[in-house]
PDB file of all heavy atoms in Angstrom:
ATOM      1  N   TRP A  42      15.342  -7.402  13.366  1.00 97.00           N
ATOM      2  CA  TRP A  42      15.209  -7.775  11.956  1.00 97.00           C
ATOM      3  C   TRP A  42      13.778  -7.556  11.474  1.00 97.00           C
ATOM      4  O   TRP A  42      13.549  -7.005  10.398  1.00 97.00           O
ATOM      5  CB  TRP A  42      15.635  -9.224  11.719  1.00 97.00           C
ATOM      6  CG  TRP A  42      15.288  -9.668  10.344  1.00 97.00           C
ATOM      7  CD1 TRP A  42      14.272 -10.496   9.975  1.00 97.00           C
ATOM      8  CD2 TRP A  42      15.920  -9.254   9.122  1.00 97.00           C
ATOM      9  NE1 TRP A  42      14.237 -10.628   8.610  1.00 97.00           N
ATOM     10  CE2 TRP A  42      15.233  -9.878   8.071  1.00 97.00           C
ATOM     11  CE3 TRP A  42      16.987  -8.412   8.836  1.00 97.00           C
ATOM     12  CZ2 TRP A  42      15.591  -9.697   6.738  1.00 97.00           C
ATOM     13  CZ3 TRP A  42      17.338  -8.226   7.506  1.00 97.00           C
ATOM     14  CH2 TRP A  42      16.657  -8.869   6.477  1.00 97.00           C
ATOM     15  N   ILE A  43      12.816  -7.981  12.258  1.00 96.00           N
ATOM     16  CA  ILE A  43      11.407  -7.801  11.871  1.00 96.00           C
ATOM     17  C   ILE A  43      11.093  -6.320  11.722  1.00 96.00           C
ATOM     18  O   ILE A  43      10.457  -5.903  10.744  1.00 96.00           O
ATOM     19  CB  ILE A  43      10.466  -8.462  12.903  1.00 96.00           C
ATOM     20  CG1 ILE A  43      10.672  -9.986  12.920  1.00 96.00           C
ATOM     21  CG2 ILE A  43       9.005  -8.121  12.607  1.00 96.00           C
ATOM     22  CD1 ILE A  43      10.051 -10.678  14.119  1.00 96.00           C
ATOM     23  N   GLU A  44      11.560  -5.518  12.665  1.00 95.00           N
ATOM     24  CA  GLU A  44      11.328  -4.069  12.586  1.00 95.00           C
ATOM     25  C   GLU A  44      12.019  -3.462  11.370  1.00 95.00           C
ATOM     26  O   GLU A  44      11.453  -2.596  10.696  1.00 95.00           O
ATOM     27  CB  GLU A  44      11.782  -3.397  13.878  1.00 95.00           C
ATOM     28  CG  GLU A  44      10.891  -3.745  15.061  1.00 95.00           C
ATOM     29  CD  GLU A  44      11.451  -3.309  16.398  1.00 95.00           C
ATOM     30  OE1 GLU A  44      12.649  -2.918  16.474  1.00 95.00           O
ATOM     31  OE2 GLU A  44      10.697  -3.368  17.384  1.00 95.00           O
ATOM     32  N   ALA A  45      13.219  -3.925  11.064  1.00 95.00           N
ATOM     33  CA  ALA A  45      13.919  -3.440   9.867  1.00 95.00           C
ATOM     34  C   ALA A  45      13.154  -3.835   8.606  1.00 95.00           C
ATOM     35  O   ALA A  45      13.041  -3.038   7.661  1.00 95.00           O
ATOM     36  CB  ALA A  45      15.348  -3.996   9.830  1.00 95.00           C
ATOM     37  N   SER A  46      12.607  -5.030   8.596  1.00 94.00           N
ATOM     38  CA  SER A  46      11.809  -5.483   7.444  1.00 94.00           C
ATOM     39  C   SER A  46      10.558  -4.633   7.275  1.00 94.00           C
ATOM     40  O   SER A  46      10.145  -4.333   6.147  1.00 94.00           O
ATOM     41  CB  SER A  46      11.417  -6.953   7.615  1.00 94.00           C
ATOM     42  OG  SER A  46      12.557  -7.762   7.607  1.00 94.00           O
ATOM     43  N   GLU A  47       9.962  -4.239   8.394  1.00 92.00           N
ATOM     44  CA  GLU A  47       8.791  -3.360   8.330  1.00 92.00           C
ATOM     45  C   GLU A  47       9.156  -2.001   7.732  1.00 92.00           C
ATOM     46  O   GLU A  47       8.402  -1.430   6.945  1.00 92.00           O
ATOM     47  CB  GLU A  47       8.168  -3.185   9.713  1.00 92.00           C
ATOM     48  CG  GLU A  47       7.459  -4.419  10.222  1.00 92.00           C
ATOM     49  CD  GLU A  47       6.922  -4.254  11.627  1.00 92.00           C
ATOM     50  OE1 GLU A  47       7.601  -3.639  12.482  1.00 92.00           O
ATOM     51  OE2 GLU A  47       5.810  -4.744  11.880  1.00 92.00           O
ATOM     52  N   VAL A  48      10.324  -1.494   8.091  1.00 92.00           N
ATOM     53  CA  VAL A  48      10.798  -0.225   7.523  1.00 92.00           C
ATOM     54  C   VAL A  48      11.014  -0.376   6.017  1.00 92.00           C
ATOM     55  O   VAL A  48      10.637   0.498   5.230  1.00 92.00           O
ATOM     56  CB  VAL A  48      12.085   0.276   8.225  1.00 92.00           C
ATOM     57  CG1 VAL A  48      12.688   1.462   7.492  1.00 92.00           C
ATOM     58  CG2 VAL A  48      11.791   0.636   9.668  1.00 92.00           C
ATOM     59  N   LEU A  49      11.599  -1.496   5.619  1.00 93.00           N
ATOM     60  CA  LEU A  49      11.755  -1.755   4.182  1.00 93.00           C
ATOM     61  C   LEU A  49      10.388  -1.722   3.498  1.00 93.00           C
ATOM     62  O   LEU A  49      10.245  -1.147   2.414  1.00 93.00           O
ATOM     63  CB  LEU A  49      12.420  -3.117   3.944  1.00 93.00           C
ATOM     64  CG  LEU A  49      13.904  -3.225   4.212  1.00 93.00           C
ATOM     65  CD1 LEU A  49      14.354  -4.686   4.142  1.00 93.00           C
ATOM     66  CD2 LEU A  49      14.695  -2.378   3.226  1.00 93.00           C
ATOM     67  N   GLY A  50       9.405  -2.338   4.118  1.00 91.00           N
ATOM     68  CA  GLY A  50       8.067  -2.386   3.540  1.00 91.00           C
ATOM     69  C   GLY A  50       7.404  -1.029   3.453  1.00 91.00           C
ATOM     70  O   GLY A  50       6.710  -0.732   2.482  1.00 91.00           O
ATOM     71  N   ARG A  51       7.609  -0.203   4.449  1.00 89.00           N
ATOM     72  CA  ARG A  51       6.957   1.113   4.460  1.00 89.00           C
ATOM     73  C   ARG A  51       7.672   2.136   3.583  1.00 89.00           C
ATOM     74  O   ARG A  51       7.032   3.065   3.085  1.00 89.00           O
ATOM     75  CB  ARG A  51       6.881   1.649   5.891  1.00 89.00           C
ATOM     76  CG  ARG A  51       5.805   1.002   6.731  1.00 89.00           C
ATOM     77  CD  ARG A  51       5.560   1.739   8.037  1.00 89.00           C
ATOM     78  NE  ARG A  51       6.766   2.069   8.769  1.00 89.00           N
ATOM     79  CZ  ARG A  51       7.353   1.272   9.668  1.00 89.00           C
ATOM     80  NH1 ARG A  51       6.851   0.095   9.922  1.00 89.00           N
ATOM     81  NH2 ARG A  51       8.442   1.649  10.290  1.00 89.00           N
ATOM     82  N   ARG A  52       8.969   1.992   3.424  1.00 93.00           N
ATOM     83  CA  ARG A  52       9.730   3.033   2.710  1.00 93.00           C
ATOM     84  C   ARG A  52      10.421   2.506   1.454  1.00 93.00           C
ATOM     85  O   ARG A  52      10.157   2.964   0.356  1.00 93.00           O
ATOM     86  CB  ARG A  52      10.760   3.647   3.652  1.00 93.00           C
ATOM     87  CG  ARG A  52      10.106   4.366   4.809  1.00 93.00           C
ATOM     88  CD  ARG A  52      11.118   5.066   5.667  1.00 93.00           C
ATOM     89  NE  ARG A  52      10.447   5.553   6.877  1.00 93.00           N
ATOM     90  CZ  ARG A  52      11.003   5.592   8.045  1.00 93.00           C
ATOM     91  NH1 ARG A  52      12.244   5.213   8.212  1.00 93.00           N
ATOM     92  NH2 ARG A  52      10.339   6.040   9.090  1.00 93.00           N
ATOM     93  N   TYR A  53      11.304   1.579   1.636  1.00 96.00           N
ATOM     94  CA  TYR A  53      12.177   1.111   0.546  1.00 96.00           C
ATOM     95  C   TYR A  53      11.366   0.547  -0.632  1.00 96.00           C
ATOM     96  O   TYR A  53      11.567   0.954  -1.776  1.00 96.00           O
ATOM     97  CB  TYR A  53      13.135   0.054   1.111  1.00 96.00           C
ATOM     98  CG  TYR A  53      14.086  -0.538   0.105  1.00 96.00           C
ATOM     99  CD1 TYR A  53      15.325   0.047  -0.121  1.00 96.00           C
ATOM    100  CD2 TYR A  53      13.762  -1.682  -0.596  1.00 96.00           C
ATOM    101  CE1 TYR A  53      16.211  -0.494  -1.032  1.00 96.00           C
ATOM    102  CE2 TYR A  53      14.647  -2.234  -1.512  1.00 96.00           C
ATOM    103  CZ  TYR A  53      15.869  -1.645  -1.727  1.00 96.00           C
ATOM    104  OH  TYR A  53      16.731  -2.182  -2.624  1.00 96.00           O
ATOM    105  N   TYR A  54      10.481  -0.406  -0.349  1.00 96.00           N
ATOM    106  CA  TYR A  54       9.712  -1.015  -1.432  1.00 96.00           C
ATOM    107  C   TYR A  54       8.787  -0.003  -2.104  1.00 96.00           C
ATOM    108  O   TYR A  54       8.531  -0.104  -3.304  1.00 96.00           O
ATOM    109  CB  TYR A  54       8.901  -2.210  -0.921  1.00 96.00           C
ATOM    110  CG  TYR A  54       9.726  -3.469  -0.744  1.00 96.00           C
ATOM    111  CD1 TYR A  54      10.147  -3.876   0.515  1.00 96.00           C
ATOM    112  CD2 TYR A  54      10.082  -4.251  -1.839  1.00 96.00           C
ATOM    113  CE1 TYR A  54      10.900  -5.031   0.681  1.00 96.00           C
ATOM    114  CE2 TYR A  54      10.830  -5.409  -1.674  1.00 96.00           C
ATOM    115  CZ  TYR A  54      11.238  -5.802  -0.422  1.00 96.00           C
ATOM    116  OH  TYR A  54      11.982  -6.940  -0.263  1.00 96.00           O
ATOM    117  N   ASN A  55       8.283   0.969  -1.342  1.00 95.00           N
ATOM    118  CA  ASN A  55       7.448   2.005  -1.947  1.00 95.00           C
ATOM    119  C   ASN A  55       8.239   2.828  -2.959  1.00 95.00           C
ATOM    120  O   ASN A  55       7.734   3.145  -4.044  1.00 95.00           O
ATOM    121  CB  ASN A  55       6.857   2.918  -0.873  1.00 95.00           C
ATOM    122  CG  ASN A  55       5.831   2.203  -0.022  1.00 95.00           C
ATOM    123  OD1 ASN A  55       5.245   1.215  -0.431  1.00 95.00           O
ATOM    124  ND2 ASN A  55       5.627   2.699   1.180  1.00 95.00           N
ATOM    125  N   VAL A  56       9.462   3.177  -2.616  1.00 96.00           N
ATOM    126  CA  VAL A  56      10.311   3.938  -3.544  1.00 96.00           C
ATOM    127  C   VAL A  56      10.625   3.089  -4.773  1.00 96.00           C
ATOM    128  O   VAL A  56      10.506   3.560  -5.911  1.00 96.00           O
ATOM    129  CB  VAL A  56      11.604   4.429  -2.846  1.00 96.00           C
ATOM    130  CG1 VAL A  56      12.567   5.036  -3.854  1.00 96.00           C
ATOM    131  CG2 VAL A  56      11.266   5.432  -1.747  1.00 96.00           C
ATOM    132  N   ALA A  57      11.003   1.838  -4.552  1.00 97.00           N
ATOM    133  CA  ALA A  57      11.301   0.952  -5.688  1.00 97.00           C
ATOM    134  C   ALA A  57      10.068   0.820  -6.584  1.00 97.00           C
ATOM    135  O   ALA A  57      10.167   0.910  -7.808  1.00 97.00           O
ATOM    136  CB  ALA A  57      11.759  -0.427  -5.197  1.00 97.00           C
ATOM    137  N   GLY A  58       8.901   0.636  -5.980  1.00 96.00           N
ATOM    138  CA  GLY A  58       7.669   0.504  -6.753  1.00 96.00           C
ATOM    139  C   GLY A  58       7.339   1.760  -7.549  1.00 96.00           C
ATOM    140  O   GLY A  58       6.904   1.682  -8.704  1.00 96.00           O
ATOM    141  N   MET A  59       7.554   2.913  -6.940  1.00 97.00           N
ATOM    142  CA  MET A  59       7.305   4.175  -7.652  1.00 97.00           C
ATOM    143  C   MET A  59       8.247   4.318  -8.842  1.00 97.00           C
ATOM    144  O   MET A  59       7.835   4.727  -9.931  1.00 97.00           O
ATOM    145  CB  MET A  59       7.459   5.362  -6.699  1.00 97.00           C
ATOM    146  CG  MET A  59       6.384   5.441  -5.642  1.00 97.00           C
ATOM    147  SD  MET A  59       4.765   5.780  -6.335  1.00 97.00           S
ATOM    148  CE  MET A  59       4.966   7.475  -6.795  1.00 97.00           C
ATOM    149  N   ILE A  60       9.512   3.991  -8.630  1.00 98.00           N
ATOM    150  CA  ILE A  60      10.491   4.057  -9.727  1.00 98.00           C
ATOM    151  C   ILE A  60      10.063   3.131 -10.858  1.00 98.00           C
ATOM    152  O   ILE A  60      10.061   3.522 -12.034  1.00 98.00           O
ATOM    153  CB  ILE A  60      11.903   3.709  -9.219  1.00 98.00           C
ATOM    154  CG1 ILE A  60      12.430   4.823  -8.317  1.00 98.00           C
ATOM    155  CG2 ILE A  60      12.863   3.429 -10.375  1.00 98.00           C
ATOM    156  CD1 ILE A  60      13.694   4.459  -7.551  1.00 98.00           C
ATOM    157  N   ILE A  61       9.691   1.912 -10.510  1.00 98.00           N
ATOM    158  CA  ILE A  61       9.275   0.933 -11.521  1.00 98.00           C
ATOM    159  C   ILE A  61       8.027   1.417 -12.250  1.00 98.00           C
ATOM    160  O   ILE A  61       7.954   1.368 -13.480  1.00 98.00           O
ATOM    161  CB  ILE A  61       9.025  -0.447 -10.878  1.00 98.00           C
ATOM    162  CG1 ILE A  61      10.321  -1.025 -10.315  1.00 98.00           C
ATOM    163  CG2 ILE A  61       8.401  -1.412 -11.886  1.00 98.00           C
ATOM    164  CD1 ILE A  61      10.114  -2.183  -9.354  1.00 98.00           C
TER     165      ILE A  61
END
Side-chain angles (χ1 to χ4, degrees):
W42 171 255
I43 295 166
E44 291 169 348
S46 296
E47 289 176 321
V48 171
L49 285 171
R51 284 192 312 271
R52 296 185 189 145
Y53 179 90
Y54 281 102
N55 291 337
V56 172
M59 292 294 288
I60 290 169
I61 295 165

